[in-house]
Amino acid sequence: MSAPAISVFALTGMGEVHPGDDLVALILATGVELAHGDILVVTSKIVSKAEGRYVQAADREEAITAETVRLVASRTYDGHTMRIVENRLGMVSAAAGVDASNTPDGWVLLLPEDPDRSARALAAGLRAATGAEVGVILSDTLGRPWREGQTDVAIGGGGVHMIADLRGTTDQAGKVLSVTTPCVADELAAAADLVKGKASGNPVAVVRGRADLVGPLTLPGASSIVRASERDLFWLGTAEALDQGYRDGYAAALAGLPAHEQQEHEKKDAT
Amino acid sequence: MSAPAISVFALTGMGEVHPGDDLVALILATGVELAHGDILVVTSKIVSKAEGRYVQAADREEAITAETVRLVASRTYDGHTMRIVENRLGMVSAAAGVDASNTPDGWVLLLPEDPDRSARALAAGLRAATGAEVGVILSDTLGRPWREGQTDVAIGGGGVHMIADLRGTTDQAGKVLSVTTPCVADELAAAADLVKGKASGNPVAVVRGRADLVGPLTLPGASSIVRASERDLFWLGTAEALDQGYRDGYAAALAGLPAHEQQEHEKKDAT
């Protein structure tokens, strides 16, 4: 058996993307020869640009507020407040994906309106133009709790399995792998970032060698890997939760409630 | 300029690893020809096995308790309690890295005692044996807040840059990329998982094409990408923080303290 292997390469020479541009045409104009099972990882920013997702904003903070459904946590450093928020897609991230880098002064760029729809449309267009069954992932760069630095993750998917479900398969010792559900979509986005780079201006990479992950355009998109906040153990920042609990406990004591009544109520909210 | 590209391939035929085994010899026995700048991503479990990190445990929960420095969050599903904990390395993860899969009944496997030291020793051994300046990352599989599924991340590093620091470089529009610090170590681990797979029994993969990330063995290891809990906005689970705040607020009201005194104190703790 030959060793499992993938190759990952960036497409060069795409140039700047403008509102209304046809990304299928721009990608194919690079001369890339797409093969069955290729997975294209596309920086979501160029999809936003093609979709004209620019908004004029006096400052970026204003645009972040407009994109925010729920504030999860915030902290002020050096007079600047960093906000972790849940956006309209249910994604939790810093700044709601509002991007002020690589944009003209006074303008910010929002995430694609529906990243899964955009990814499916791009995959459909590339399949139609080339005859090759390819998949598309839209990537964004996110920080994360507990670990320094950022990694690229999948925020949109078309024609690619997001999770390789191994539950029920057995390991080498014959035990059932009960909890292993690798998020291959995020791993593909991370692998692609190793060749795209942030400063190189190559917004598209191809991952070749995992055709088994490519399938029909009806596969669930990246919205399926966003965990609903009511199921998450970290749905609210620690300082915010301590404050909210404190206020509730203080009020409960003043109202003469027994010590644990409100606490149980909060637990139910958090479940 | 040729397109930036990497190849990632798994080493096949390594067989089961036993306590005392020489991983340098086992890796080279696969016949792999290592080149300057190759980065080997090694599943930490085989390092644990070679280091004999087995402990007899009546159940896995007991071993997790022994490895836990601090409980971050927990939740009970179907009568089973899942614990997110900080381990002695400062890493926050489910189950403190205690592994009961691929182990004999009645035994569990702990993480390597010092994953960075193990990674450096392996890199040093491979460099000495081959003359090729290679890097080593030890990987583990972790879940994460807000997103479904797990990804492989770096828990040990030897001779590889963990973070590609782009701060101060400029983007295509000439703006300074002030906050972009990609955690390439985690991205390398993720890319490698795409060829290793959980069920395939290929615990080592090579990433070729990012020799720029390989350097001296004195480079910081993966401990440098573990964020200190006092700097993290999610150092305690939401339900746990609501409970703690509630108790503090209730007690403060009973003691006749003003409403915000304890709250400010908690905020300081969380900073």
Side-chain angles (χ1 to χ4, degrees):
Chain A
M1 187 187 77
S2 73
I6 59 172
S7 61
V8 189
F9 54 95
L11 305 189
T12 54
M14 274 198 56
E16 191 61 30
V17 175
H18 300 101
D21 278 353
D22 176 358
L23 287 178
V24 172
L26 288 179
I27 286 169
L28 295 178
T30 64
V32 63
E33 302 216 10
L34 295 176
H36 170 77
D38 281 353
I39 299 167
L40 290 91
V41 182
V42 179
T43 303
S44 63
K45 182 184 296 198
I46 67 164
V47 177
S48 294
K49 287 181 174 180
E51 293 179 357
R53 298 279 293 159
Y54 290 98
V55 293
Q56 217 163 357
D59 64 36
R60 180 164 171 255
E61 298 307 317
E62 196 179 276
I64 294 169
T65 302
E67 287 286 289
T68 295
V69 170
R70 189 173 71 85
L71 179 68
V72 175
S74 68
R75 189 174 294 181
T76 300
Y77 306 90
D78 304 329
H80 173 78
T81 298
M82 190 271 284
R83 285 181 283 172
I84 310 285
V85 304
E86 183 176 327
N87 71 5
R88 68 202 149 70
L89 302 167
M91 277 177 57
V92 175
S93 69
V98 174
D99 199 336
S101 65
N102 266 314
T103 56
D105 276 341
W107 294 81
V108 297
L109 196 57
L110 308 182
L111 292 180
E113 190 180 2
D114 181 343
D116 283 334
R117 188 182 62 202
S118 302
R120 285 191 189 107
L122 189 50
L126 290 166
R127 288 177 184 199
T130 65
E133 191 188 46
V134 300
V136 169
I137 282 174
L138 303 194
S139 66
D140 197 9
T141 303
L142 297 189
R144 57 269 168 89
W146 315 327
R147 299 177 72 76
E148 301 289 356
Q150 303 89 35
T151 59
D152 273 18
V153 301
I155 69 162
V160 186
H161 288 275
M162 299 286 108
I163 301 264
D165 197 339
L166 302 177
R167 286 176 295 184
T169 64
T170 53
D171 64 21
Q172 297 291 302
K175 289 188 192 174
V176 173
L177 288 165
S178 56
V179 294
T180 308
T181 52
C183 184
V184 285
D186 284 350
E187 294 186 328
L188 289 162
D193 191 45
L194 291 169
V195 301
K196 291 193 294 187
K198 291 290 172 291
S200 67
N202 293 322
V204 181
V206 175
V207 179
R208 182 166 289 169
R210 287 300 308 265
D212 59 302
L213 296 177
V214 176
L217 297 177
T218 50
L219 285 173
S223 60
S224 67
I225 53 177
V226 173
R227 186 181 296 140
S229 55
E230 63 269 21
R231 291 185 50 239
D232 201 280
L233 298 182
F234 300 89
W235 60 270
L236 188 64
T238 302
E240 287 76 7
L242 286 168
D243 280 358
Q244 182 180 318
Y246 185 92
R247 284 192 302 272
D248 290 345
Y250 198 94
L254 290 189
L257 294 177
H260 291 292
E261 190 167 308
Q262 182 68 13
Q263 188 181 351
E264 289 305 313
H265 172 69
E266 291 297 344
K267 270 186 170 165
K268 275 179 206 145
D269 272 358
T271 300
Chain B
M1 187 187 78
S2 72
I6 58 172
S7 61
V8 189
F9 54 95
L11 305 189
T12 53
M14 274 199 56
E16 191 61 29
V17 175
H18 300 101
D21 278 353
D22 176 357
L23 287 178
V24 172
L26 288 179
I27 287 169
L28 295 178
T30 65
V32 64
E33 301 216 10
L34 295 177
H36 170 77
D38 281 354
I39 299 167
L40 290 91
V41 182
V42 179
T43 303
S44 63
K45 182 184 296 199
I46 67 164
V47 177
S48 294
K49 286 181 174 179
E51 293 180 357
R53 298 279 293 158
Y54 290 98
V55 293
Q56 217 163 357
D59 65 35
R60 181 164 170 253
E61 297 307 316
E62 196 179 276
I64 294 169
T65 301
E67 287 286 289
T68 295
V69 169
R70 189 173 72 84
L71 179 67
V72 175
S74 68
R75 190 174 293 181
T76 300
Y77 306 91
D78 303 330
H80 173 79
T81 298
M82 190 270 284
R83 285 181 284 172
I84 310 284
V85 303
E86 182 177 327
N87 71 6
R88 68 202 150 70
L89 302 166
M91 278 178 56
V92 175
S93 69
V98 174
D99 199 335
S101 65
N102 265 315
T103 56
D105 276 341
W107 294 81
V108 297
L109 196 57
L110 308 182
L111 292 180
E113 190 180 3
D114 181 343
D116 283 333
R117 187 181 63 201
S118 302
R120 285 190 189 107
L122 189 49
L126 290 166
R127 288 178 183 198
T130 65
E133 192 188 44
V134 299
V136 169
I137 282 174
L138 304 195
S139 66
D140 198 9
T141 304
L142 298 189
R144 57 269 168 89
W146 314 327
R147 299 178 71 76
E148 301 289 355
Q150 302 89 37
T151 59
D152 273 18
V153 301
I155 69 161
V160 187
H161 288 275
M162 300 286 108
I163 301 265
D165 197 339
L166 301 178
R167 286 175 295 186
T169 64
T170 53
D171 64 21
Q172 297 291 302
K175 290 187 192 174
V176 173
L177 288 166
S178 57
V179 294
T180 307
T181 52
C183 184
V184 285
D186 284 351
E187 294 185 329
L188 289 162
D193 191 45
L194 291 169
V195 301
K196 292 193 294 187
K198 291 289 171 292
S200 67
N202 293 323
V204 181
V206 175
V207 180
R208 182 166 289 169
R210 286 300 308 265
D212 60 300
L213 296 178
V214 176
L217 297 177
T218 50
L219 285 173
S223 59
S224 67
I225 52 178
V226 173
R227 187 180 296 139
S229 55
E230 63 270 21
R231 292 186 49 238
D232 202 279
L233 298 182
F234 300 89
W235 60 271
L236 189 63
T238 302
E240 287 76 7
L242 286 167
D243 280 359
Q244 182 180 318
Y246 185 93
R247 285 192 302 272
D248 290 345
Y250 197 94
L254 290 189
L257 294 177
H260 291 291
E261 189 167 309
Q262 181 68 13
Q263 188 181 351
E264 289 305 313
H265 172 69
E266 291 298 343
K267 269 186 170 165
K268 276 180 206 146
D269 271 359
T271 300

